[in-house]
Amino acid sequence: VGSLVPDVIEFFFDVASPWSYLASTQIAGLEERTRVTVRWRPLLLGGVWKLTGARSPREHWTENRRRYQDVDFAAWVEHYAIPFRKPSHFPPNTLIAMRGAVAAERLGRLVPYAHAGFRAYMVEDRNISLPEVVLAVGEGAGLDRATFEALLHDPGVKDALRANTEEAVARGAFGVPTFFWKGRMFFGNDRIALMESFIRHE
Amino acid sequence: VGSLVPDVIEFFFDVASPWSYLASTQIAGLEERTRVTVRWRPLLLGGVWKLTGARSPREHWTENRRRYQDVDFAAWVEHYAIPFRKPSHFPPNTLIAMRGAVAAERLGRLVPYAHAGFRAYMVEDRNISLPEVVLAVGEGAGLDRATFEALLHDPGVKDALRANTEEAVARGAFGVPTFFWKGRMFFGNDRIALMESFIRHE
């Protein structure tokens, strides 16, 4: 008796999000352990905030909460043993970078592009808001520069990014990383293990 | 070469907090797996909010965020396979109940009292704000009613609860459950696994 719901994990992300970066480093292991394919879904985090009426959560936080955010993030970086350098270009505008992700998806290179984008912004401290950095990320992911650059301005690519963002919000997202698996939504890098336990015990 | 920092996990909690309840059900297993003793530390969540200047986080949340909070909590309840009935007496005032926890600690019954308090509020839907419910919780934890009731009004008990609350905030807490282990702070039921991985890899 098979389920009608496809056994796929959707992973909504934006390269502007440090917590999406954390999650992005765990996807390969997640797929290996669960044998469930992860579908990477680029969206625009700023768009999610706009659509849901949210402001950056930091604005509401107390001093202790703010301090813990950094300690907590550093603990995850240590736990995952991944490289990270705090971005100096903050907050970024990832509109071009995330259109680039949609373009890379069309060219069959979404996952390498996403990893390259996270690396550029979260490890190499490059200004991901700049078109030339996005183009370099595309080249780093093996994309032909001219083809990629043309797609960045393609109305279909722009529409697809907007559609992804709207879809995520319509399905309940309010930030990233957000995962969907068989009708369940999981928000946050810290929910990967919880999601995995549901998949394991299915 | 031993460490000068005692190998103990401190667990700050308030029976008003559903996420503290989740965490409370995992402490025995945590101790068993890590062989590190957990020291239960009662505090007053309302006091933490007052001292840090926080308001209930729900006020700042978007509709999607609010909805997810309930879905997420239900997922943890399912994952842990624990009983839960949404409290109808909300928000509670746990001043008496948490003074009761300090009193129970003096009588050597803190952990049974805490479990009984969580059960009363989170499973049996009793109004934990009421002194008579607190007294019944104490009796359920094996405390002598008269001795326990007298301690509820003991200035030393009142001071100790305030001191715990102030100490937690001074050390960086902004909510509960909050754990401390060897100079590291971990906030939230969802950080138990992260803390455990640090203990394991020490």
Side-chain angles (χ1 to χ4, degrees), chain A residues 119-142:
Chain A
R119 195 165 48 243
Y121 186 54
M122 305 284 177
V123 180
E124 297 163 356
D125 195 22
R126 286 152 81 194
N127 188 352
I128 197 70
S129 307
L130 302 177
E132 60 259 38
V133 171
V134 172
L135 289 171
V137 165
E139 285 188 298

Side-chain angles (χ1 to χ4, degrees), chain A residues 64 68, chain B residues 9-14 17 19-20 23 27 38-43 45 48 167-169 171-181 184-189 191-192 195:
Chain A
N64 277 357
Y68 178 68
Chain B
I9 296 165
E10 291 169 277
F11 165 44
F12 282 92
F13 70 98
D14 183 320
S17 148
W19 302 91
S20 293
I27 301 300
V38 173
R39 185 179 166 207
W40 295 56
R41 308 279 324 261
L43 59 60
L45 178 54
V48 171
E167 179 196 327
V169 170
R171 292 167 70 186
F174 50 87
V176 281
T178 292
F179 300 88
F180 291 94
W181 175 75
R184 288 187 190 264
M185 181 177 114
F186 298 91
F187 170 68
N189 160 72
R191 291 297 181 273
I192 294 176
M195 176 172 64

Side-chain angles (χ1 to χ4, degrees), chain A residues 64-154:
Chain A
N64 277 357
R65 179 72 188 85
R66 270 196 211 102
R67 240 190 310 256
Y68 178 68
Q69 184 80 350
D70 296 336
V71 168
D72 183 37
F73 188 83
W76 284 102
V77 166
E78 189 181 342
H79 172 53
Y80 287 160
I82 55 173
F84 175 73
R85 201 159 78 190
K86 194 170 178 168
S88 55
H89 309 280
F90 188 87
N93 180 337
T94 50
L95 181 62
I96 312 294
M98 297 315 290
R99 283 179 181 163
V102 174
E105 189 174 22
R106 298 214 172 171
L107 300 169
R109 302 286 298 162
L110 171 57
V111 177
Y113 175 90
H115 284 305
F118 280 123
R119 195 165 48 243
Y121 186 54
M122 305 284 177
V123 180
E124 297 163 356
D125 195 22
R126 286 152 81 194
N127 188 352
I128 197 70
S129 307
L130 302 177
E132 60 259 38
V133 171
V134 172
L135 289 171
V137 165
E139 285 188 298
L143 301 177
D144 174 70
R145 186 180 174 104
T147 313
F148 178 58
E149 188 165 16
L151 276 176
L152 288 179
H153 304 289
D154 185 297

Side-chain angles (χ1 to χ4, degrees), chain B residues 1-163:
Chain B
V1 270
S3 163
L4 286 173
V5 185
D7 201 5
V8 66
I9 296 165
E10 291 169 277
F11 165 44
F12 282 92
F13 70 98
D14 183 320
V15 294
S17 148
W19 302 91
S20 293
Y21 166 58
L22 288 183
S24 75
T25 65
Q26 306 303 304
I27 301 300
L30 175 68
E31 287 185 308
E32 202 175 289
R33 289 186 303 269
T34 60
R35 292 167 185 274
V36 177
T37 301
V38 173
R39 185 179 166 207
W40 295 56
R41 308 279 324 261
L43 59 60
L44 192 67
L45 178 54
V48 171
W49 285 349
K50 207 166 179 179
L51 287 167
T52 58
R55 281 175 302 166
S56 170
R58 264 188 125 83
E59 294 175 28
H60 311 298
W61 288 346
T62 60
E63 195 46 46
N64 276 358
R65 179 73 188 84
R66 271 196 211 100
R67 238 190 311 253
Y68 178 67
Q69 184 79 349
D70 297 334
V71 167
D72 183 37
F73 188 83
W76 284 102
V77 166
E78 187 180 344
H79 172 52
Y80 287 160
I82 54 174
F84 175 73
R85 200 158 79 190
K86 194 170 179 169
S88 55
H89 309 279
F90 189 87
N93 180 339
T94 52
L95 181 62
I96 311 294
M98 296 315 289
R99 282 180 182 163
V102 174
E105 188 174 22
R106 297 215 172 169
L107 300 171
R109 303 287 297 162
L110 171 57
V111 178
Y113 175 88
H115 284 306
F118 280 123
R119 196 167 47 243
Y121 186 54
M122 305 284 177
V123 180
E124 296 162 358
D125 195 22
R126 287 152 81 194
N127 187 353
I128 197 72
S129 308
L130 302 178
E132 60 258 36
V133 171
V134 171
L135 289 171
V137 165
E139 286 189 296
L143 301 177
D144 173 70
R145 188 179 172 104
T147 314
F148 178 58
E149 187 165 17
L151 275 176
L152 288 179
H153 303 289
D154 186 297
V157 165
K158 295 179 183 181
D159 289 348
L161 180 63
R162 197 180 306 112

